[in-house]
Amino acid sequence: MNDSITFSNKKIDFIIGYERYDEISTLYIRFWQENELFNIGWIAFVRGEKSEEGQSKLDNITHLLDYIEKNYAEITNFQFCQESRKMIEDFMNK
């Protein structure tokens, strides 16, 4: 990503990334101790909380921030993110 905004509590980071001249944006969570990064957009998608339809980069980030707010306990759980990664891999291999 060309530009990003990071929110951190020294255990996890939420990274909002966007392309300056494109309508591309995403949101990641990074777990410091495990040194792992997960794409929240994909997690929301495979968990049935986000459609494949295109959105503007601001709408996409707003939707993902709402998803984090509603599912904070799950999103900040490393095992949940690992399970979601497996679901993403299964989806991509269909």
Side-chain angles (χ1 to χ4, degrees), residues 41-57:
W42 273 106
I43 291 172
F45 175 75
V46 297
R47 298 285 182 168
E49 297 288 332
K50 188 171 184 293
S51 72
E52 288 184 85
E53 295 177 17
Q55 296 176 332
S56 74
K57 63 182 161 186

Side-chain angles (χ1 to χ4, degrees), residues 15-72:
I15 305 162
I16 300 171
Y18 56 95
E19 295 288 341
R20 184 177 293 176
Y21 301 109
D22 246 340
E23 281 300 312
I24 298 171
S25 64
T26 195
L27 211 151
Y28 298 95
I29 184 169
R30 178 179 27 203
F31 292 85
W32 282 39
Q33 183 175 0
E34 295 84 357
N35 194 29
E36 291 279 348
L37 184 73
F38 298 92
N39 184 311
I40 294 177
W42 273 106
I43 291 172
F45 175 75
V46 297
R47 298 285 182 168
E49 297 288 332
K50 188 171 184 293
S51 72
E52 288 184 85
E53 295 177 17
Q55 296 176 332
S56 74
K57 63 182 161 186
L58 179 58
D59 288 343
N60 185 51
I61 293 300
T62 302
H63 179 80
L64 293 175
L65 289 171
D66 287 342
Y67 176 73
I68 291 170
E69 182 178 29
K70 292 174 186 169
N71 300 283
Y72 186 80

Side-chain angles (χ1 to χ4, degrees), residues 71-87:
N71 300 283
Y72 186 80
E74 290 86 7
I75 287 293
T76 57
N77 179 294
F78 183 71
Q79 185 173 351
F80 175 86
C81 290
Q82 282 185 311
E83 291 167 1
S84 298
R85 179 179 281 160
K86 176 70 173 121
M87 293 171 70

